[in-house]
Amino acid sequence: MTGSLAPSGYILLADVSGYTMFLTTSELEHARDIMSDLLEKVVAGTKPPLQVSKLEGDAVLSYGMESAILGGQTLIEMIEECYVGFRRAIERMVLNNTCKCNACTNISNLDLKFFVHHGEFALQQVGDRQELFGPTVILAHRLLKNDIKEATGIAAYTAYTGAAIEQMGRELVEGMRSHRLHYEDVGEVEIWIEDMRHAWEASRKENLINLAAKEILMEESTEFGLPPETVWSYLTDPEFRKTFMAADSAAVSKKSAGRVAEGTVFHCYHGGGEVPQEVVEWRPFERMVTHDSVKVMGATVKLYSIYELAPTEDGTRMTVRFGRLTGPKIQAALAKKGFGAQRDKMMEDSRNFKERIEADYLARVKV
């Protein structure tokens, strides 16, 4: 057993709601198998740079070093994706269930909630696991005992402490609910509550934009030695996105509740010109579609850019498709011709983006 002091980071507790009632009113063998499957979904949904520390009965404890977390929105969306995976697992179990025992009948009563805290903690190597200890870890566990459901009526939620929000960015609390918890040993704790039902409802939306083969002006794929969550975070960060777009600078406007979402606009500036890219589909870590406006001979030509990320054995494959030009015929024809002439340049830009983000991430995790 060895120990070491870690830099500041995030602590995440994922806790299954209804666990005690489920076990005490169910046949033990079936209940055990169901809980095992669901906890495996939570573990699988805990993606890098978060790392699972250990299972604690009905909870999964994980952590992420501050230097490796690329942005507050990415952390929020990783948690939302984990919740969606859990809800989909329950939905499949209910739909495919033919057993009438109490355990199988009561699956739908289970749910998931999360607690996120930030601060310093120590890592203790126990066997093949990195266990956490310190006051920050103690406070994270205190949060499991709370009055959130009674005070807010929200049963499935993520509770972020004030310390976590300060690190992630205060703008992200838009749409969250403020609450305060009181503990005899640690005092008052400010928390911000996100209702996870919204993430579940958003996940059920269908893809809206697809391109027919004849509409595709260009398609390219790039392999990254990083997980999809990390590539996504870089792709949607204006500072790194400008490399992919070969822009002089980039910015973002029209965020929703402090987050990039449908309706948000990326702005890429090239010399004296600007290319606005409005987000029309937003599926974190999987798919983003933007509707781009390009000036050609004084007129505006529009086209879609579809970004799709898929996990591979070694990291991520990002496929980008550009197509469906609309606008004045002459300008649209010139834009189409321009895409053909710029293919090699765009592939070079993709390589530059790959090299930059992989180098940046390596520098972060070495800190």
Side-chain angles (χ1 to χ4, degrees), residues 59-126:
V60 177
L61 175 66
S62 58
Y63 65 97
M65 298 307 181
E66 182 179 309
S67 59
I69 301 292
L70 300 175
Q73 178 169 342
T74 295
L75 180 59
I76 290 174
E77 290 174 337
M78 289 175 70
I79 294 170
E80 290 173 348
E81 287 296 297
C82 184
Y83 179 77
V84 167
F86 180 90
R87 290 302 313 171
R88 283 177 179 157
I90 286 182
E91 187 176 69
R92 285 193 293 269
M93 288 180 181
V94 171
L95 288 173
N96 297 326
N97 179 39
T98 58
C99 178
K100 302 301 181 183
C101 75
N102 288 333
C104 294
T105 301
N106 294 329
I107 295 171
S108 59
N109 293 330
L110 296 171
D111 215 324
L112 191 61
K113 52 186 182 287
F114 302 85
F115 303 88
V116 182
H117 188 34
H118 181 275
E120 293 185 350
F121 52 86
L123 294 173
Q124 185 96 346
Q125 187 71 37
V126 180

Side-chain angles (χ1 to χ4, degrees), residues 206-227:
E206 298 290 334
N207 289 341
L208 299 177
I209 307 298
N210 286 293
L211 300 177
K214 64 180 181 180
E215 296 178 306
I216 298 175
L217 301 174
M218 192 176 81
E219 176 178 328
E220 60 171 323
S221 294
T222 306
E223 303 282 340
F224 298 85
L226 299 170

Side-chain angles (χ1 to χ4, degrees), residues 245-261:
M245 298 301 300
D248 300 324
S249 62
V252 63
S253 66
K254 297 184 180 180
K255 288 186 176 182
S256 175
R259 295 165 59 173
V260 177

Side-chain angles (χ1 to χ4, degrees), residues 221-226 310 312-318 354 358:
S221 294
T222 306
E223 303 282 340
F224 298 85
L226 299 170
T312 65
E313 184 176 342
D314 299 318
T316 302
R317 177 181 299 108
M318 181 175 74
K354 167 187 167 67
E358 289 181 348

Side-chain angles (χ1 to χ4, degrees), residues 11 34 160 272 276 340 351 355:
I11 295 175
I34 290 167
Y160 298 90
R351 288 193 296 270
E355 291 172 3

